[in-house]
Amino acid sequence: MCILFVYVDDGSLPGRYRLVLASNRDEFYARPAKSAAPWDENARIIGGCDMEPGREGGTWLAIGNHPEGRIKLGALLNVTGESKANVSNGRGPIVANFLTGELTGRTYSEQLLEQDNFGAFNFVSIELETTVTNGAVGETHNAAGGIILHTSNAPHSINTCKTGQALGFGNSTLDKPLQKVCRGREQFADIVARRNVPFADKDAFVDELMGLLKNDARHFPDAELTRRAGQHAEFLSSINVRMPGGSYGSRTRTVILIDQSNHMEFIEQTLIGADPQTGEWVTTRIEREFS
């Protein structure tokens, strides 16, 4: 399971970050993966990579500005407990193909569902224009707002999400969010409201977002999670997942900030080892000027 919180500014007030993201990747600790970095095949794109034999190159979260002039972000979450017929492709390339391609998020999502042979997924795509040109005077300035789409094949749907408010996504359908997504979205909204202001303490902002991702509080009982995950539901009901036995849990925490100048900071904490209590958490920080 995974969880994703996103805020995209609507441009109504100056000085706020254009994008704020906080996400946990839940996975088996032993599954090999590369930490976030510019991709060898396209250095304009930054993200982690799955290195499971036979599934190398897939990703759960990545961001880039290909083509130039547009910032694109993609995030993938499974839909737990949904069976799909005619599954012949892994879900890992969904984000990668969006980031490396030329299509807009809507066109890409429409084609994705037309060709659906994947396991059940939620795909969140975000597009931000880096500049807007005023043809009359030839001036350029930062674009306001952006486009956020939630695309799922369980059931088939493409939904436009609102900018200017905190959003939360998890491993259920959009109309039946898990309790940890609802409670986490409330906490995320509070952090953004307090911290996403001009001259705010950026490090404190990042620390609070990481603190949210480390939250072990269980949001249980949860009828929807129980229906989907059965006996494992209680252990999966916290934002920070730690399953008994130490083989599965939240192994990657990611915070992404993009300011009004399109300066991005990508901060990732990744567990090295198979025990979140004794293993080493390695922090990666990547900065990029998008244009």
Side-chain angles (χ1 to χ4, degrees):
M1 304 190 85
C2 299
I3 198 164
L4 171 71
F5 303 107
V6 170
Y7 170 89
V8 173
D9 189 45
D10 60 5
S12 60
L13 289 174
R16 297 186 296 198
Y17 282 99
R18 298 191 67 196
L19 179 140
V20 181
L21 177 146
S23 175
N24 270 348
R25 181 199 183 205
D26 302 338
E27 186 52 87
F28 289 100
Y29 299 132
R31 183 166 179 159
K34 287 183 178 180
S35 297
W39 288 359
D40 293 338
E41 57 272 31
N42 189 330
R44 298 179 73 90
I45 299 170
I46 296 166
C49 284
D50 189 6
M51 296 304 293
E52 179 80 3
R55 299 189 178 186
E56 297 91 343
T59 188
W60 55 96
L61 173 67
I63 187 170
N65 66 323
H66 175 88
E68 189 172 352
R70 191 192 320 161
I71 302 169
K72 297 196 295 184
L73 182 144
L76 185 71
L77 306 96
N78 298 343
V79 184
T80 301
E82 295 284 343
S83 59
K84 293 280 294 178
N86 304 317
V87 175
S88 57
N89 272 348
R91 290 165 286 206
I94 290 175
V95 170
N97 290 343
F98 171 59
L99 268 291
T100 57
E102 307 289 330
L103 299 179
T104 65
R106 181 164 291 277
T107 301
Y108 179 80
S109 292
E110 290 170 350
Q111 293 188 7
L112 194 64
L113 296 184
E114 287 174 2
Q115 305 164 3
D116 179 24
N117 54 6
F118 302 97
F121 67 78
N122 289 325
F123 169 57
V124 178
S125 63
I126 300 174
E127 296 171 278
L128 307 174
E129 297 299 321
T130 56
T131 58
V132 172
T133 301
N134 184 328
V137 295
E139 294 180 349
T140 61
H141 56 88
N142 288 340
I147 300 172
I148 313 165
L149 297 180
H150 173 279
T151 302
S152 182
N153 66 344
H156 279 206
S157 61
I158 303 174
N159 289 280
T160 301
C161 303
K162 291 183 179 179
T163 60
Q165 66 182 38
L167 305 172
F169 306 95
N171 301 104
S172 64
T173 56
L174 199 61
D175 63 331
K176 294 184 179 179
L178 304 180
Q179 287 299 307
K180 67 177 183 179
V181 174
C182 296
R183 302 290 82 77
R185 180 177 58 215
E186 293 170 357
Q187 297 170 54
F188 177 72
D190 175 68
I191 295 169
V192 170
R194 288 186 292 103
R195 294 292 185 183
N196 190 20
V197 293
F199 314 113
D201 185 333
K202 181 189 65 181
D203 291 337
F205 195 2
V206 172
D207 287 346
E208 282 206 55
L209 293 171
M210 284 294 182
L212 170 64
L213 299 176
K214 297 174 185 178
N215 195 324
D216 292 321
R218 292 179 181 175
H219 302 282
F220 199 79
D222 182 337
E224 181 67 12
L225 182 56
T226 298
R227 185 180 74 82
R228 292 182 174 278
Q231 63 181 342
H232 302 298
E234 184 172 359
F235 300 109
L236 297 170
S237 68
S238 55
I239 293 173
N240 181 44
V241 171
R242 288 189 288 180
M243 293 290 288
S247 62
Y248 178 93
S250 300
R251 57 175 283 186
T252 304
R253 302 187 282 257
T254 305
V255 169
I256 299 176
L257 301 174
I258 299 179
D259 68 16
Q260 291 293 324
S261 299
N262 299 319
H263 175 82
M264 181 204 70
E265 294 195 51
F266 190 124
I267 304 102
E268 179 182 275
Q269 296 179 352
T270 303
L271 175 66
I272 306 299
D275 186 341
Q277 299 296 328
T278 62
E280 179 185 6
W281 286 88
V282 175
T283 299
T284 300
R285 299 182 76 102
I286 300 170
E287 297 190 39
R288 174 70 61 85
E289 304 291 338
F290 287 129
S291 61

